[in-house]
Amino acid sequence: MFRRDQMGESAGERRQDTALVLSRRGAVTANYEDFLTQYLTCASANPYHPVTNPKGIINLGTAVNRLMEEELSVRLRRGDALSYSPSFQHYYDFGGSRELKVALVGFLERHFRPAKDIGEDEIVVLNGVTSCLDALSHALCDPGDVIITPTPVYARMFTDVHDRAGAEVLPLVLRQEVNSSSESFLLRAEDLEARIEALRQEGRRVRAFMLVHPNNPLGDVYSPQLLTDLMDVCARHEVHFISDEIYALSIFADEDEPSSRPPFHSVLSLPHPDPERTHVLWGLSKDFGLAGFRVGVVVSRCAELMACLRAVAIYKCTPHLVHHASAVLLSDTAWCDDLYLRLNSERLGRAYRRARGRLEAMGARVREARAGLFVWFSIRDFMEADSAEEEMEIHAQLMRAGVYVVPGSKLYGADPGWIRLIFSVGEEELDEGLRRIESVLDKRRKKTA
Ligand SMILES: Cc1ncc(COP(=O)(O)O)c(C=O)c1O
């Protein structure tokens, strides 16, 4: 239905046409039904503005950080970052200019505290972490190979490694514990091991385990012990360990205890039981709110993988002038560390608590988060049936009320009744979005009462 509205034809009709014109591969890509990008397009076609378009859609579904727009604009407009050089007119080192790699090595050393020095040849820069995932899948997996990831998860993971490289993502399902004292959505190394063994017994080739840390959508920050245990499992089974650390520096404190901001332990900071099969991803889209720059980074000590990614970079490079601007930003220690990252964390914490407080006042159950741009909350008490269809019905009602949030089933949540809401937008927009959510939930509360 959505596709017919947007494109004037249904996906089914188009699938038939594309199969005649395109390769099988091309037809798969042309028809990929990707919820997150579809609704981003839909929300962007009618964006809310308090004065010029008050009935527009408030996008609390797409993970963008708008909290530091002003500080970023001021810094980038200073002459050094977006300055012009004739060298930008020519070919360059597609996998990362020397200037950017040096800046990245310094930045990662300050904030990811690597256990071993990172060499410039252990870094490749591509056009976004999305692109890094596609490239890693291309480099590590043959079609049909399995990548395991804990779910719920940022849904494009499934698309990014499957669309072109043909790897298949299979979930390690994290469950909500109902009526239990144990914590919900708990990740355990023994469950990963059991999943790998079960899939191998089914004859599947398990190639990689992919972890989003800090977690999207749960907002969890994992302990060094758990990370070590997970890496040990992967090493024992010769499975690649991919740590997507795109939210590494978007960690915030609990207001009551400002010192309660949990420390971030990058996989880079821990000993690697299998260095050849351990790879870390980071980028500018989230921690720096610069999704438009399309900067994603792979850090790995696997020389063969790096050689493959450097070759692939010719198809997936970020413009040289963006390398330059990024390098200037990341190597400005005073601005990055003392101003930007500190302020960003304070603002994220404030926005999280604001969203959480309002949702709890509506009667929603909110899972505690310490990182990321999102709140993961349960709407089960507002549902007449415990099903993904009912969850989608609530999503449709919210869209009609003018607010887009992501239903948990679209993030591969196994238990219906969860929603991911992005809080890192302007305060006015967040409040209006929450007001719209409240109006929908209120009506449902009256109905279910
Ligand atoms: C966990 C995770 N990885 C990767 C991405 C994509 O990042 P990029 O903009 O660098 O492609 C996102 C975006 O939401 C994300 O949440």
Side-chain angles (χ1 to χ4, degrees), residues 170-444:
L170 292 178
L172 172 66
V173 177
L174 308 184
R175 298 223 79 118
Q176 65 181 34
E177 307 281 345
V178 184
N179 301 327
S180 151
S181 58
S182 58
E183 209 189 313
S184 282
F185 303 106
L186 208 58
L187 175 61
R188 299 183 190 90
E190 58 268 32
D191 294 342
L192 171 63
E193 184 141 44
R195 186 79 168 120
I196 294 172
E197 284 167 355
L199 284 164
R200 291 232 163 121
Q201 267 172 14
E202 285 170 28
R204 302 303 301 265
R205 201 164 89 118
V206 180
R207 283 296 276 175
F209 171 64
M210 203 158 55
L211 181 67
V212 179
H213 174 225
N215 188 282
N216 174 6
L218 300 174
D220 286 347
V221 182
Y222 296 119
S223 70
Q225 186 59 57
L226 176 61
L227 295 169
T228 301
D229 292 347
L230 291 166
M231 280 194 279
D232 283 342
V233 168
C234 289
R236 262 200 303 281
H237 293 273
E238 298 188 342
V239 163
H240 290 268
F241 186 103
I242 302 169
S243 185
D244 177 346
E245 301 185 358
I246 196 166
Y247 295 100
L249 307 173
S250 300
I251 298 184
F252 42 82
D254 187 330
E255 189 168 43
D256 304 322
E257 294 169 58
S259 60
S260 66
R261 181 175 179 268
F264 172 67
H265 295 278
S266 167
V267 155
L268 291 173
S269 69
L270 304 169
H272 294 173
D274 189 352
E276 292 271 290
R277 291 195 185 83
T278 307
H279 322 295
V280 172
L281 308 177
W282 184 70
L284 293 187
S285 291
K286 311 298 172 182
D287 289 342
F288 280 90
L290 288 170
F293 271 36
R294 309 310 301 135
V295 172
V297 185
V298 182
V299 186
S300 171
R301 284 194 227 135
C302 177
E304 294 84 353
L305 173 66
M306 289 289 106
C308 177
L309 296 183
R310 271 193 295 275
V312 160
I314 194 163
Y315 309 114
K316 297 167 142 308
C317 49
T318 304
H320 195 183
L321 52 96
V322 175
H323 283 206
H324 171 68
S326 307
V328 168
L329 216 60
L330 296 178
S331 47
D332 186 345
T333 315
W335 182 84
C336 263
D337 305 5
D338 305 339
L339 182 120
Y340 179 88
L341 291 170
R342 182 184 50 75
L343 214 54
N344 187 43
S345 165
E346 280 173 24
R347 286 184 191 168
L348 285 173
R350 215 174 301 138
Y352 162 73
R353 290 186 292 270
R354 192 179 185 95
R356 180 181 180 157
R358 287 283 301 275
L359 288 165
E360 284 177 339
M362 291 173 210
R365 277 177 295 129
V366 180
R367 193 171 183 280
E368 188 176 332
R370 283 305 182 72
L373 316 174
F374 18 77
V375 194
W376 180 245
F377 67 97
S378 168
I379 47 162
R380 254 173 147 212
D381 297 344
F382 303 88
M383 289 166 64
E384 285 168 52
D386 200 10
S387 68
E389 290 73 31
E390 173 81 348
E391 189 186 282
M392 287 310 291
E393 175 52 32
I394 297 184
H395 172 257
Q397 284 176 354
L398 291 167
M399 284 300 287
R400 285 196 291 277
V403 58
Y404 161 48
V405 286
V406 180
S409 56
K410 294 295 174 192
L411 298 173
Y412 297 86
D415 305 294
W418 291 87
I419 281 186
R420 187 193 76 173
L421 175 144
I422 304 297
F423 54 72
S424 47
V425 298
E427 259 177 27
E428 196 275 335
E429 208 167 328
L430 179 61
D431 286 350
E432 176 58 17
L434 287 163
R435 199 193 58 71
R436 292 177 185 189
I437 292 172
E438 188 168 19
S439 72
V440 169
L441 294 187
D442 249 0
K443 281 193 203 113
R444 294 191 70 92

